[in-house]
Amino acid sequence: MKRALVIQLTRFGDLVQTKRLVLTLQGRGFTVHLCVDRSLEALARIVYPYCEIHPLIAHGSGIDGYGKDTVLPVNYEIFRQLAEINFSEIYNLNFSSMNYALSSMFDPEKVKGHKRINGQPMKDRWFEFCFRLAAERRNNINLVDYWAALSPNMIPAEEVNPPATPGGKGIGVVMAGRESRRSLPYDVLAPLVLAASSINKNKDIYLLGSSAERESAKKLFSKFPAAAAKTTTNLAGETDWEGLAAAVSGLDLLITPDTGTMHLAAHLGVPVLGTFLSSAWCSETGPYGAGHTVLQADIECAPCMEAAPCYNNMKCLTPFTDSSAARYVATRNPEHLPKGISVFESVCDFLGTEFVLKTGNDPSGERRQRLRKFIGCHLGLLDIGEYGPFADLAEKFYKDKDWIAP
């Protein structure tokens, strides 16, 4: 029996976005083992029911009710179990200390992604290449495809998630993401929600989020007229992982910033209306699969760096405050779209999921398509004789050590 280990110790959305890699490995005949933070164990079992799950305490959230003095024995036991399994391939997707410690247990020849060789942190050549590509963030590839391409024979993008299809249950609203700058304030969000509800047959609205968003959900609720309030259910802080999956499944639409719940909706085939601003850019982390829509803040400083302060007084939020934004959501008429927002729709192509301009502005679209073909040739998905040459792109993204190092 062939076994592969995928080490994914980061957050909610990243775990769901590992799906194409996991399905690819299963398609290659591997039994896939997933090492995740303990806080995401239940979610991992929902999204990946045919995987072996190994829950480590990698973050403070993974400690839950366990005392800090239990972290070492719990993790030691997981390390011991993994060391006894004969893995043919190990995929280490992150570069935290815990990830490096785990990958160091195995023959570096078997480790793909991030690893240590003779004590020195190293990146797989594909990751090195993608780090260079990330310099052009508007043209970057989807994170799902970034991880999946570590393995040969990626399954087709359209086989990863179901096509986005309304399920008849109403509209879900995610109150906020982990990074507050990427989320709409409740008073800006309310008109968009009401506009979407006005054209939806089922008027039920479900407010979703953690306990930290419970008060924001109450404030959003207060902005609804009586008729909408009557059909709204505040689930913020009320759902565990199983409850969240049940709440999202079957929705007609999920309105959300760039969040883990957005990726869960895409996993379930629920149509997403994403509101992307600040450091969020749809070509990098948009909902995976065909049929999703993103309202993308399109200003000169976007996308910014998540860890850097904003020096433009959140200029990217301004277009969403325009009353025309809600009017566009209700009519989908390009004439109603405020300046500063571009609308993209997700499609699947030879490389993965791509976001195609529906209305607005996409000055880098032509270059992004050329870059995707260049990457496709790099991965052997396209014939360079047919789509090349790419002399200028090769000059920019290939380095001497790509040819010198073994």
Side-chain angles (χ1 to χ4, degrees):
M1 179 185 295
K2 296 194 303 181
R3 299 178 180 87
L5 173 65
V6 177
I7 306 170
Q8 177 56 278
L9 297 179
T10 49
R11 52 197 188 229
F12 173 9
D14 292 343
L15 176 60
V16 182
Q17 290 177 99
T18 312
K19 186 178 178 182
R20 190 180 187 189
L21 173 60
V22 170
L23 294 180
T24 293
L25 293 173
Q26 290 176 334
R28 290 175 55 206
F30 286 97
T31 296
V32 179
H33 294 243
L34 262 175
C35 189
V36 303
D37 183 65
R38 183 187 285 269
S39 65
L40 299 174
E41 178 183 0
L43 175 67
R45 296 190 186 282
I46 292 169
V47 177
Y48 304 109
Y50 302 111
C51 291
E52 298 289 333
I53 308 299
H54 303 273
L56 272 175
I57 300 177
H59 309 290
S61 58
I63 295 175
D64 294 329
Y66 300 86
K68 290 184 178 180
D69 58 339
T70 68
V71 173
L72 181 58
V74 167
N75 286 353
Y76 177 82
E77 178 59 21
I78 298 296
F79 274 52
R80 186 193 63 77
Q81 292 173 8
L82 293 174
E84 292 179 352
I85 300 172
N86 181 23
F87 292 110
S88 302
E89 297 178 4
I90 297 95
Y91 292 81
N92 188 24
L93 304 186
N94 323 114
F95 50 91
S96 70
S97 298
M98 184 71 79
N99 282 84
Y100 280 125
L102 254 177
S103 67
S104 297
M105 293 168 46
F106 307 102
D107 179 353
E109 292 295 320
K110 293 183 177 183
V111 179
K112 301 176 184 292
H114 297 279
K115 56 186 171 182
R116 279 200 177 106
I117 299 179
N118 297 324
Q120 182 175 353
M122 304 286 286
K123 286 194 288 285
D124 188 277
R125 280 191 173 186
W126 167 244
F127 276 13
E128 290 272 13
F129 179 65
C130 288
F131 268 59
R132 297 168 202 155
L133 292 171
E136 298 192 21
R137 289 189 56 202
R138 289 194 178 205
N139 302 322
N140 207 359
I141 66 171
N142 195 284
L143 186 60
V144 174
D145 303 319
Y146 165 72
W147 280 325
L150 277 174
S151 170
N153 305 318
M154 288 188 295
I155 67 166
E158 58 269 19
E159 294 180 13
V160 177
N161 289 332
T165 307
K169 202 171 81 173
I171 293 175
V173 182
V174 179
M175 295 306 305
R178 186 182 59 86
E179 177 60 46
S180 60
R181 280 197 340 226
R182 305 202 300 189
S183 304
L184 299 180
Y186 69 91
D187 54 338
V188 177
L189 179 59
L192 301 183
V193 175
L194 294 173
S197 180
S198 71
I199 58 172
N200 202 58
K201 184 176 181 180
N202 187 333
K203 303 302 180 185
D204 290 339
I205 299 172
Y206 301 90
L207 308 184
L208 305 169
S210 68
S211 56
E213 282 88 51
R214 188 179 288 123
E215 289 305 312
S216 293
K218 290 179 181 178
K219 291 176 180 178
L220 178 67
F221 182 83
S222 72
K223 292 290 183 179
F224 289 174
K230 187 177 180 180
T231 60
T232 298
T233 303
N234 185 1
L235 295 176
E238 301 296 327
T239 58
D240 56 13
W241 292 121
E242 186 176 353
L244 179 62
V248 172
S249 182
L251 289 172
D252 295 304
L253 183 71
L254 183 75
I255 302 174
T256 176
D258 184 358
T259 62
T261 305
M262 176 190 76
H263 297 297
L264 180 62
H267 161 74
L268 295 168
V270 172
V272 167
L273 177 62
T275 56
F276 276 48
L277 64 159
S278 184
S279 59
W281 196 263
C282 60
S283 65
E284 291 184 314
T285 55
Y288 202 85
H292 304 290
T293 302
V294 170
L295 304 181
Q296 176 71 65
D298 180 25
I299 61 173
E300 63 277 2
C301 57
C304 60
M305 295 300 294
E306 187 173 301
C310 176
Y311 297 106
N312 281 335
N313 197 30
M314 285 298 294
K315 184 178 178 181
C316 58
L317 176 61
T318 302
F320 291 96
T321 67
D322 191 318
S323 59
S324 295
R327 193 177 178 193
Y328 173 79
V329 170
T331 65
R332 300 302 171 102
N333 185 338
E335 294 181 1
H336 299 153
L337 187 68
K339 185 178 180 181
I341 294 178
S342 293
V343 182
F344 291 87
E345 291 191 346
S346 63
V347 298
C348 294
D349 66 6
F350 62 91
L351 181 57
T353 287
E354 159 69 330
F355 282 81
V356 177
L357 182 71
K358 182 177 182 184
T359 186
N361 185 43
D362 186 18
S364 65
E366 185 175 338
R367 179 170 176 82
R368 186 168 63 254
Q369 289 306 312
R370 189 160 180 268
L371 269 169
R372 291 181 75 79
K373 291 173 183 175
F374 170 60
I375 297 165
C377 291
H378 174 87
L379 293 172
L381 303 174
L382 298 178
D383 180 3
I384 193 168
E386 180 179 355
Y387 293 95
F390 300 101
D392 57 327
L393 297 179
E395 175 114 16
K396 178 173 182 179
F397 294 111
Y398 291 149
K399 302 300 178 184
D400 287 346
K401 66 178 182 178
D402 294 336
W403 315 108
I404 298 169

